Every structure is written in C-alpha cells, then in structure tokens.
Amino acid sequence: MSGVTNTSSTTQDSVVGISPVVNAFSHIRWEVNSLSRLRLSPTTDIPLLRSADAKPLEYTVLSDSSDAKIYSKVLLKLLSESVGTAGPSSKVSKLALDRELDEEEACFLLDQDPMGVVTHYAISKLWELLTVVMDRDAKKVSVQTTFYVDSEDAMVLFDEWRPLLRVLHLGGAGDAFAQRGAALCLAKILSIGCPSMKSEATKSVDAQLKPVSYSSVEEPLQALVSWIVSQLQSSASASLSLITPTLIYLVKSSEARNMFADSGGIGYLARHLRVGGKSLSKNSPKGSGASVQQLYELSFCLWTLTYECNTNPSVRAHFAREGVISALVELISIAPREKVVRVSLSSLRNLANCSSDIVPDPNGGKAIDGSVFLTDMTACGLMKLIDNLKERQWTDPDIFDDVTTLHRLLHENHKEMSRWDVYKAEVESGHLTWSVLHSEKFVKENVKSFEGPNGDFSILKILVTLLSQDDEDVVAIACFDIGEFVRHYPSGRAIAKRLGAKDIVMKLINHENAEVAQQALSCISKILVQNWKFVA
C-alpha cells in the first residue's frame, strides 16, 4: 500500500462557509463603547483591521511577513476577548449554519449581541487569511512565517493560537459556525508542524527558514483530535457537519491519523457508517443518520486510516475489533452512491492486503493481517456480494479493479478455511445469514468444536449475546443454532442454561416477528425437554 496522496481531488475542499451574520461585518465600529472590552489599540489594531477590510489582503497585510503575523495576532486577540469565559454568545451562537441574515437582521444582532458578531468576524477573517496564504505563490509569507516564531534551532507555534481551542469547548450548545471554523483554522495551522506534511510546510517558503518543531504542535493537535472524537460520540448528523471538514483535512497527516485511531476514532466512524447505512436503507426521517455525502466523507477518512495498518499494530487491532468490516460490507450492499462504493471497496482491499510482518505486535499477540480481515469479510457475506458486483457495469474503472482483486483474494483465502472456520468467523462477526452452516447436519457434525480450544464454549457465549440483537434474522438464527447445540451436545441443556440462554429465549417466544417467535419456541422446547428425540 502506498501513502495517502493528494486528497483534494477525492473530496470537496474544506471550507468554513459563510457566517449567518456576514452582512453585519462592514457595520462594525471598533471604537464604540459596546466593543471596549476587546481592548484594541486605536493607533495600531484598529487601523490594521480597517486596512484589511478595505483592500484585498494581498495588497495590505500580506505584503510583508511581519504584517501578516501582526494581523493574525489581532484576529486571535479579537477571538479571545469576544469569546471570554462566559460560554457561547446569547443570540448569534444559536443561528443555524444554513441561514444568512439580511443586512437589517444582521445589524440588529450586532446591536443586541456584538461579541457574537465579532466572534464570527474573527473566525471568517482568520480563515480568509489562511486560505490566501496557502494559495498564493510567495516565498516571504506563509503559514509558517505567520503562525510560528523563531526558537533556538526550530520554529515553534506561537502562544496566541489558544483562543481557537477555547472556541471548540464552548459550553451549552456551542456555536456551530465558530466551532467548525476554529477547528478548520487550527487544523491548517497545526498540520504544517507534522513531519509527514513536510512538503506542505516547505512549499513556496524561503529555504532559509528553520524547520518547524513537531513538539510544539503535538499537544494542541492531540487536543483537536480529542475534540473531534468527542463530537463523533454523538449520533446526530449535525455533529458530523461540525467535524468532517476538519477530519478530512487532518487525515492527510500520518501523525493525526495515528492519534485519531489511538483515541478510538475508528470505532466511532464504523458506528456512524452502520447507523447511516441503516437509516438510508429504511428511508428513515432526515436527521436520524448521516447523509449520503457524510457517509462518503466518513468512508474516505476510514480509507486513509487503512494506510497506517502496515506500520501500526494498534491501528490493525482497532480495525479488527471495531466492526469496520461489517459496516463497510453493509454500506456496499446498500450502494447509496458509486463514490461511496468505490471508497468502501478500496478500504477493504487495503485491509485484505495489509501485513503484520513490517511492524509486528510488540506484545507478541495474535498476528492481525490480511487473512484475518478476509476471514471477517467472508463471514459478513462479502463473497456473494462481490460475485454480484462483478456482473455490474461501473463508470469508475477503480471499482472494477478493486472488485476483481477482492474476488481473487477472498476465494484464495476461502480455500484455506474449513467449514467450521467460516462458521466461527460468521458468529464472531455477528452477521448471521441463513445457509448450510445453520442446519441440523452442520451442527451435528461440528458440535464438539463448540467447546473451543480452551473449553470455554466461546462461540456458544457469542450466540447467546446475539439473542439480544436488533436484527431479527440474526436472533432467529441464533435461536436455531443454540437449539441444535442443545440437541446434539451431551450436556448441552445444562450448558445453555448456565450461560443464560433459557431466560433470554423464553422472552422471545412472544416476539412480534413470526420467524423469531417460531425459532425461540423450538429452541426452548429443546432446552426444557429431557429427551429431544421425542420433540416434534
């Protein structure tokens, strides 16, 4: 697997958007009493802000690196003073992201909530500064010269960045525009300090500049990643709109990808993919799950994380235990858009090809490599799905290439698996589907295998937990398999009771789903009756 390259061609450019009160910006009067708490200098700060508002930045603050740094500090000072410690502003913070007030409404809010308007002004202007600096071909002014200062042997992040982090942790409902903007600004500022982004940092910059010290950005980068993960813990699609633009930008960096994985981010991405996919398949109400575009963006972020599997055993472990395979397979089966299918297939292909030989698990644990992921894919029914995808016509040649490769790898891996291996993998995945693996003949022939290598009946324990799943097909199949185990294992009744199967199955007899109720009744009969041979 190669590294993650240019993401701009794959995803939409990360943008802050337009503040709902943008029409009030030109009406801000910095000298009025209501803005006195900003502590702006009438001889330096205010003239600089007016100059930057009156003319394009290229002809004002960006004519010299020192002017750009001063301007950035003034904007961050505005942010620091306007946000304060009292939490989100009273009115502006509550405005929806997709609503732009007309001039009269915006000016009314400037009068009623001046600090809220100033917060949006500072974020908007800081984003404009970053965008222009990163887009222009200049050797004197860059993100590095604007937001970093000289130290002994390297350039370090200046201290004025901290108000951006404070905006992220606003109390209450926060301020959606300010938080999304602050996160994106912080991501662009910090990414320059990551060693894996060295080419970005040195692009169009004076070669005489000292290198950027990663140690100066590591802690704020971790804080930003932790905030993103905290937002992912929410199931609301509104939370996703806050963080996906920033996450898309951050995952260009290997350092950020590893931080995100170590913070539990992979599991949360997988959960959003599962919930979003199910809401799409059931035509759930708007807002109950991620939109198709959000599913694509989350899948894209997950795809970039697969590039760390060869070099980070911890990332491999997260992918193996967080239900990523089943989430991606379900997403492909729904096929909401071709681009979602493409990036999901590419993620699976990377996982199927990953190796544990380059950087083995330092703790000497079980090797997690492509064969482990391929077994999970087989358990989740990807083989049949891939067979169907091979017959479809795709406009994107990458999809056909991924389908062909996965088809070959899956079939090669399947040849080396016993039928019990396939059954075990399916149960462990929690993705049960009716097949010959769930039949009297199969369970009877393999009943001793249920004991497991340690004699702890781990597969039976998983089947018992699956009785509480939301998926009715899974519950029905689990009832059937437990019932057949009870029939054919010498002390099966006692073991099933000890593991709690009896109490759970009893509650399922009156289930509203007819198949679940029937399988539950059959299962409980086998558990209760002494001689199962007489069970009809």
Side-chain angles (χ1 to χ4, degrees):
M1 293 186 292
S2 61
V4 178
T5 54
N6 181 16
T7 59
S8 61
S9 61
T10 313
T11 61
Q12 294 181 341
D13 289 338
S14 298
V15 293
V16 168
I18 299 175
S19 164
V21 292
V22 64
N23 289 319
F25 291 172
S26 61
H27 296 275
I28 298 175
R29 300 294 177 260
W30 301 111
E31 303 89 344
V32 298
N33 290 334
S34 60
L35 299 182
S36 60
R37 94 176 205 195
L38 298 175
R39 298 186 298 111
L40 294 175
S41 167
T43 57
T44 56
D45 297 346
I46 293 177
L48 184 61
L49 290 171
R50 284 176 174 165
S51 175
D53 285 340
K55 299 177 183 178
L57 294 182
E58 292 90 335
Y59 303 109
T60 53
V61 298
L62 295 187
S63 59
D64 183 84
S65 60
S66 61
D67 288 342
K69 189 184 296 289
I70 293 171
Y71 182 57
S72 70
K73 290 184 177 183
V74 171
L75 293 176
L76 288 165
K77 177 182 176 181
L78 282 178
L79 196 59
S80 176
E81 299 298 336
S82 63
V83 172
T85 58
S89 63
S90 59
K91 293 181 170 54
V92 174
S93 65
K94 298 178 174 62
L95 296 174
L97 282 170
D98 57 357
R99 184 188 179 196
E100 182 181 334
L101 304 182
D102 60 31
E103 191 170 7
E104 182 178 351
E105 291 174 310
C107 287
F108 176 76
L109 280 184
L110 175 60
D111 180 62
Q112 296 294 309
D113 185 11
M115 292 303 139
V117 174
V118 170
T119 296
H120 279 218
Y121 171 89
I123 291 290
S124 300
K125 294 300 181 179
L126 192 62
W127 175 253
E128 180 185 354
L129 173 63
L130 276 163
T131 303
V132 175
V133 166
M134 297 189 80
D135 287 348
R136 70 198 302 260
D137 184 16
K139 294 183 178 181
K140 295 295 183 182
V141 182
S142 66
V143 173
Q144 192 171 335
T145 60
T146 305
F147 296 94
Y148 291 78
V149 294
D150 269 324
S151 185
E152 293 182 1
D153 54 0
M155 297 191 74
V156 298
L157 181 66
F158 64 16
D159 290 336
E160 286 80 0
W161 67 271
R162 297 183 185 279
L164 290 167
L165 189 61
R166 195 191 309 162
V167 170
L168 300 184
H169 295 285
L170 286 171
D175 182 327
F177 175 81
Q179 288 177 311
R180 186 171 68 176
L184 262 168
C185 289
L186 204 49
K188 289 211 169 192
I189 294 169
L190 298 178
S191 293
I192 294 298
C194 295
S196 62
M197 299 289 284
K198 187 177 180 181
S199 60
E200 288 280 330
T202 57
K203 183 174 63 177
S204 301
V205 174
D206 193 333
Q208 295 181 352
L209 282 175
K210 296 175 183 177
V212 173
S213 167
Y214 176 58
S215 61
S216 73
V217 304
E218 189 172 9
E219 186 177 340
L221 182 61
Q222 179 63 68
L224 176 57
V225 169
S226 296
W227 176 78
I228 289 173
V229 172
S230 72
Q231 295 299 311
L232 282 172
Q233 293 177 27
S234 168
S235 59
S237 59
S239 294
L240 292 179
S241 68
L242 280 184
I243 58 94
T244 46
T246 300
L247 186 56
I248 287 170
Y249 191 85
L250 279 182
V251 291
K252 294 179 180 180
S253 155
S254 176
E255 292 79 13
R257 292 197 295 269
N258 283 292
M259 279 185 183
F260 181 77
D262 290 340
S263 299
I266 290 175
Y268 290 119
L269 287 181
R271 188 189 72 176
H272 277 287
L273 291 179
R274 282 194 297 272
V275 173
K278 287 178 180 177
S279 68
L280 286 178
S281 64
K282 296 178 181 179
N283 295 316
S284 299
K286 185 178 180 181
S288 59
S291 65
V292 172
Q293 179 60 29
Q294 287 173 333
L295 287 176
Y296 169 64
E297 291 168 349
L298 296 176
S299 302
F300 171 82
C301 293
L302 204 57
W303 168 70
T304 65
L305 288 158
T306 63
Y307 284 94
E308 300 301 323
C309 284
N310 279 349
T311 56
N312 191 330
S314 175
V315 174
R316 292 197 295 271
H318 280 294
F319 270 104
R321 68 171 180 253
E322 300 290 2
V324 174
I325 300 297
S326 61
L328 289 172
V329 172
E330 288 177 16
L331 199 56
I332 293 170
S333 66
I334 298 167
R337 294 286 190 280
E338 188 168 297
K339 63 180 182 180
V340 178
V341 173
R342 181 185 70 242
V343 76
S344 299
L345 285 171
S346 187
S347 296
L348 291 174
R349 179 177 179 174
N350 283 354
L351 292 172
N353 281 310
C354 84
S355 171
S356 61
D357 295 335
I358 301 173
V359 182
D361 185 348
N363 299 318
K366 177 186 175 183
I368 299 175
D369 55 18
S371 64
V372 171
F373 292 118
L374 283 165
T375 300
D376 287 345
M377 293 176 204
T378 299
C380 292
L382 184 61
M383 286 184 66
K384 182 178 179 181
L385 186 57
I386 287 292
D387 289 340
N388 293 334
L389 293 178
K390 277 177 67 72
E391 305 302 319
R392 291 179 56 180
Q393 298 295 319
W394 302 99
T395 59
D396 189 332
D398 288 342
I399 293 182
F400 180 77
D401 187 42
D402 287 339
V403 167
T404 302
T405 300
L406 282 169
H407 182 272
R408 174 179 57 80
L409 292 173
L410 283 165
H411 282 272
E412 288 175 356
N413 186 70
H414 190 261
K415 289 178 184 177
E416 301 175 5
M417 297 173 66
S418 67
R419 294 181 73 191
W420 175 255
D421 288 335
V422 176
Y423 175 79
K424 179 173 177 287
E426 182 178 315
V427 172
E428 290 175 339
S429 75
H431 196 85
L432 306 184
T433 54
W434 286 112
S435 69
V436 293
L437 298 178
H438 306 285
S439 63
E440 177 187 357
K441 183 175 184 295
F442 175 82
V443 176
K444 184 176 182 179
E445 291 175 351
N446 293 275
V447 74
K448 293 292 288 182
S449 297
F450 277 85
E451 296 174 357
N454 300 319
D456 59 357
F457 294 91
S458 59
I459 291 299
L460 188 63
K461 290 178 181 177
I462 297 174
L463 285 171
V464 173
T465 63
L466 293 178
L467 293 172
S468 303
Q469 287 285 319
D470 293 331
D471 191 315
E472 293 168 343
D473 286 340
V474 170
V475 175
I477 296 170
C479 284
F480 176 85
D481 287 3
I482 292 171
E484 289 305 297
F485 168 80
V486 168
R487 288 181 64 191
H488 298 293
Y489 194 80
S491 55
R493 293 174 64 248
I495 294 170
K497 287 180 180 179
R498 189 176 76 243
L499 295 178
K502 175 185 171 183
D503 293 339
I504 301 175
V505 175
M506 282 288 285
K507 296 176 182 178
L508 295 173
I509 292 176
N510 295 318
H511 198 280
E512 59 184 13
N513 182 281
E515 177 70 9
V516 171
Q518 178 186 342
Q519 293 298 339
L521 181 60
S522 176
C523 179
I524 204 68
S525 299
K526 295 165 189 175
I527 293 175
L528 294 177
V529 177
Q530 285 281 357
N531 194 335
W532 55 264
K533 292 181 180 179
F534 296 103
V535 177

